[in-house]
Amino acid sequence: MILTEDASDRKRHIEEKLQQEQETLSFIRESLEKSDQLTKNMVSILSSFESRLMQLENSIIPVHKQTENLQRLQDNVEKTLSCLDHVISYYHVAKDTEKIIKEGPAGRLEEYLNCMAKIQKAVEYFQDNNPDSPELNRVKFLFEKGKESLESEFRNLLTRHCKAVPPVIILDLIAGDDEIETAEDPALNLLPENILQDLTCISMWLVEYGRNLDFMNVYYQIRSNQLDRTIKGLKEHFRKNSSSSGVLYSPAIQNKRKDTPSKKAIKRPVFIPGTIRKAQNLLKQYSQHGLDGKKGVSNLAPTEGHDHELRGKHLSDTLNEKHGPAVGKEDILDSEIDSYIHCVSAFVKLAQIEYQLLTGIIPEHHQKKTFDSLIQEALDGLMVEGESIVSTARRAIMRHDYSAVLTIFPILKHLKQMKQEFDQVLQGTAASTKNKLPVLITSMETTGAKALEEFADSIKNDPDKEYNMPKDGTVHELTSNAILFLQQLLDFQETASAMLASQETGSSTSTYNFEFSRRLLSNYICKILGNLQLNLHSKAKVYEDTALGAVFLLNNFNYILKSLEKSELIQLVAVTQKNADKTYKGHIDEQLHIYQRSWGKVTSPINESNMPAIQPGTKLKDKERQAIKDRFKAFNDGLEELCKIQKSWAIPDKEQRDKIRRAQKENVTGVYSNFWQKYANVPFTKNTEKYIKYRVEQVEDMIEKLFDTSA
């Protein structure tokens, strides 16, 4: 029973479950049917929408294409109209710009260049598109007219605004770069800033569009003329101020220099006006009539030190004292030398400024050539003037006027100092341009070397003529000339060494060291002094009186020694002759001894060894009395004769003069004092005043008056 009931329950449960599943399946079936129906509806809607879209597309696309075509047509029309306007504008260019082109660019360069740009474009258009159009000829004519006007304006601007730089500004410019800056000083601006900008614009346009480089020739011709005028103006400035002394700088800059310390040494011309020329004048005056009016005589004392300015002042004072103020011709020659030296410096400075100016106007690849052409006229003028100075010196040397070489020294020294700046300024120019200064330097060195060598020979071969000898035995003109000449070399040691080296090796001493150059000059000075010494010994033989010959040599040797000691000459001589001073002192002592022997005729008669022995208290024999008389008379006659003769002799050096007088006093009065004390009280004569004419003090006074014509 129980099993039957369980089976019935399970069966009922299964049936219920089956019924539920059937209901679920039925629901799913219904849902699927609804879904299918919805899908069909959606597909129907979409199909309908697609159909409508296709209908819309078929209607819109033709309209769109038609609109697009219309837009394209509109753009083409606008572009065509724009092109037509552009083309038509070319036909109006001539009319629009003709007035401005004819009036020229003066005062409205920017507007003028804009018009030229329009004309240039019109020319290009007609050449490319309508070469047969009459408008092409018209715009071409305007373009050429405009180009000519620009070239003319370029010339006019340069001509109107290019002015020679005043000489005072030039002198200030070459006085020192640290104190005067070109950019800060309007007076040094060669062209106003606005004019420089206009010239630059015109230059750039002519190069780019004008296809014409003739304006560069115009530029260098005008600027070259102004540079040459500036240099000539500086020369004229020196000519007008030839009577002035010192370097001619402007007062404003002089005051500035007093208040403002320099940052570095200022490079300026080294020539002191008048110094060289006055030295030349002295040398010539010596050779004509001597400084004291006696042929062959020189009373010129050695100059103190070796400073150039002090020597120049000494020479000037001596010349003025003896011959009055320097005449106009010498001042003019001084001015010419000074002018040339300053003109060389001015050229270098101005050329630097010209090149800076040129770089802003002339195209880069034409700058060097244009600059080369620009400086030619002024540079050639300087070189011609330099060669003229050399030629003048050569002619003077041929006349045996060796003082002419003194003109070359300051110029050559300055040229060599300026050579480095010269080379820098001329860098990039033609080789012929760069070689002009070295050729002039070589020419001056060769001429100077010849003068130096011939001067040395002239010292050696100066003739021994009686009329050419100083009557009083003072310093000979030959000695004065030689010393003056050598002293001038002190300020130009490197220059003189270069001359000597060029003579020996054919090259400049710039290739040698300082010691070599110094030795060359030392050898030359020693050669001069050696030749002078030989010639002086030969000249001394002209004197019949050996004592006067000794005084002559003593004076000359003493003058040489003092001149050497009071200058750098002694240091130069010591390079090759270590004891030159001792040698000359030995020569002086030797001549002093020779001179002192001339007093033997005075002291020998009264020398105790030559006197007869006299016994005190005994009566003198006639022979003994006569012997004493003869000795006194011989002494008196000898003393009077020598004092009379030697009183007119000259020993310019006070130290030597006093030394000789002291020595003679000691020598003569010592012997005479002994003789006088021994025989003055001896009754050898009744006429005592006839024989005992002088006391010892009187003898000293007479000797003190030796070498003094005014005593």
Side-chain angles (χ1 to χ4, degrees), residues 481-499:
N481 289 353
I483 294 301
L484 276 172
F485 193 88
L486 293 179
Q487 286 176 338
Q488 289 301 322
L489 296 184
L490 291 176
D491 295 288
F492 309 102
Q493 294 184 34
E494 293 183 8
T495 305
S497 298
M499 290 179 177

Side-chain angles (χ1 to χ4, degrees), residues 73-86:
L73 290 174
Q74 183 180 358
D75 292 342
N76 290 338
V77 169
E78 290 177 355
K79 290 180 179 178
T80 301
L81 290 174
S82 177
C83 290
L84 287 173
D85 290 339
H86 184 67

Side-chain angles (χ1 to χ4, degrees), residues 613-641:
I614 299 176
Q615 298 297 328
T618 61
K619 186 179 180 180
L620 295 177
K621 299 178 182 179
D622 291 342
K623 182 178 180 181
E624 293 173 338
R625 283 197 296 270
Q626 188 60 42
I628 296 173
K629 291 178 183 180
D630 291 342
R631 299 298 188 271
F632 269 109
K633 185 176 186 303
F635 174 82
N636 294 335
D637 292 346
L639 178 65
E640 291 171 354
E641 178 186 0

Side-chain angles (χ1 to χ4, degrees), residues 201-329:
C201 291
I202 295 175
S203 169
M204 293 174 62
W205 190 93
L206 290 174
V207 171
E208 186 173 358
Y209 301 108
R211 306 291 192 272
N212 189 347
L213 301 181
D214 290 344
F215 76 94
M216 297 182 190
N217 295 333
V218 172
Y219 179 85
Y220 92 71
Q221 289 169 0
I222 294 176
R223 289 306 312 165
S224 176
N225 179 262
Q226 295 302 321
L227 177 61
D228 189 55
R229 282 177 55 196
T230 298
I231 298 296
K232 289 179 179 177
L234 184 60
K235 292 179 184 177
E236 181 67 13
H237 177 73
F238 276 93
R239 187 188 68 79
K240 291 181 179 179
N241 293 277
S242 59
S243 60
S244 300
S245 62
V247 183
L248 307 177
Y249 300 111
S250 75
I253 298 302
Q254 286 178 333
N255 292 336
K256 177 180 177 182
R257 292 193 186 100
K258 290 178 181 178
D259 299 333
T260 306
S262 299
K263 297 178 182 178
K264 62 181 180 181
I266 299 174
K267 293 178 65 178
R268 61 182 58 168
V270 297
F271 177 64
I272 299 177
T275 301
I276 297 299
R277 180 57 57 185
K278 289 186 175 74
Q280 290 177 307
N281 198 12
L282 271 176
L283 293 177
K284 292 179 181 178
Q285 294 289 353
Y286 285 137
S287 63
Q288 291 170 4
H289 48 68
L291 285 179
D292 64 354
K294 301 177 183 178
K295 185 67 179 176
V297 179
S298 170
N299 285 335
L300 180 65
T303 57
E304 298 294 334
H306 63 276
D307 182 80
H308 185 94
E309 186 172 358
L310 290 178
R311 282 206 302 276
K313 183 178 186 302
H314 171 80
L315 294 173
S316 175
D317 292 344
T318 304
L319 185 63
N320 291 337
E321 179 184 351
K322 298 294 182 180
H323 304 287
V327 296
K329 183 177 180 181

Side-chain angles (χ1 to χ4, degrees), residues 554-602:
L554 183 149
N555 280 329
N556 282 271
F557 290 148
N558 183 65
Y559 179 84
I560 294 171
L561 177 60
K562 289 297 179 67
S563 298
L564 294 178
E565 289 177 338
K566 293 182 179 181
S567 69
E568 194 182 340
L569 285 172
I570 191 65
Q571 300 175 19
L572 284 171
V573 171
V575 173
T576 51
Q577 293 186 8
K578 300 298 183 182
N579 300 313
D581 54 342
K582 293 182 179 179
T583 300
Y584 276 104
K585 288 177 181 177
H587 293 329
I588 293 171
D589 291 340
E590 180 183 355
Q591 299 307 318
L592 178 59
H593 292 321
I594 295 174
Y595 163 75
Q596 288 175 338
R597 285 202 296 267
S598 68
W599 284 78
K601 64 186 331 183
V602 177

Side-chain angles (χ1 to χ4, degrees), residues 215-448:
F215 76 94
M216 297 182 190
N217 295 333
V218 172
Y219 179 85
Y220 92 71
Q221 289 169 0
I222 294 176
R223 289 306 312 165
S224 176
N225 179 262
Q226 295 302 321
L227 177 61
D228 189 55
R229 282 177 55 196
T230 298
I231 298 296
K232 289 179 179 177
L234 184 60
K235 292 179 184 177
E236 181 67 13
H237 177 73
F238 276 93
R239 187 188 68 79
K240 291 181 179 179
N241 293 277
S242 59
S243 60
S244 300
S245 62
V247 183
L248 307 177
Y249 300 111
S250 75
I253 298 302
Q254 286 178 333
N255 292 336
K256 177 180 177 182
R257 292 193 186 100
K258 290 178 181 178
D259 299 333
T260 306
S262 299
K263 297 178 182 178
K264 62 181 180 181
I266 299 174
K267 293 178 65 178
R268 61 182 58 168
V270 297
F271 177 64
I272 299 177
T275 301
I276 297 299
R277 180 57 57 185
K278 289 186 175 74
Q280 290 177 307
N281 198 12
L282 271 176
L283 293 177
K284 292 179 181 178
Q285 294 289 353
Y286 285 137
S287 63
Q288 291 170 4
H289 48 68
L291 285 179
D292 64 354
K294 301 177 183 178
K295 185 67 179 176
V297 179
S298 170
N299 285 335
L300 180 65
T303 57
E304 298 294 334
H306 63 276
D307 182 80
H308 185 94
E309 186 172 358
L310 290 178
R311 282 206 302 276
K313 183 178 186 302
H314 171 80
L315 294 173
S316 175
D317 292 344
T318 304
L319 185 63
N320 291 337
E321 179 184 351
K322 298 294 182 180
H323 304 287
V327 296
K329 183 177 180 181
E330 281 70 27
D331 286 336
I332 292 174
L333 291 171
D334 287 337
S335 178
E336 289 177 354
I337 300 172
D338 198 24
S339 171
Y340 185 75
I341 289 176
H342 282 81
C343 284
V344 170
S345 296
F347 171 81
V348 173
K349 296 298 182 184
L350 290 172
Q352 292 172 344
I353 297 175
E354 286 289 352
Y355 187 75
Q356 293 173 359
L357 178 67
L358 177 145
T359 54
I361 298 176
I362 304 301
E364 183 176 358
H365 52 289
H366 293 285
Q367 290 174 0
K368 293 295 185 181
K369 183 177 179 181
T370 304
F371 178 70
D372 195 347
S373 301
L374 189 155
I375 63 174
Q376 283 302 317
E377 185 176 1
L379 180 58
D380 287 343
L382 289 175
M383 295 302 107
V384 168
E385 187 175 354
E387 285 296 342
S388 176
I389 293 172
V390 174
S391 298
T392 301
R394 286 173 181 159
R395 290 192 295 270
I397 293 168
M398 290 178 65
R399 299 191 304 268
H400 305 292
D401 176 14
Y402 304 108
S403 64
V405 75
L406 299 177
T407 302
I408 296 180
F409 276 123
I411 296 175
L412 179 56
K413 179 178 181 179
H414 187 65
L415 289 180
K416 297 187 78 171
Q417 287 177 336
M418 296 298 296
K419 186 177 182 303
Q420 184 177 359
E421 287 189 62
F422 238 94
D423 293 341
Q424 292 175 350
V425 170
L426 301 184
Q427 189 175 8
T429 57
S432 59
T433 301
K434 289 187 284 190
N435 288 336
K436 288 182 179 180
L437 182 64
V439 168
L440 178 60
I441 289 176
T442 300
S443 178
M444 287 189 172
E445 284 184 343
T446 303
T447 302

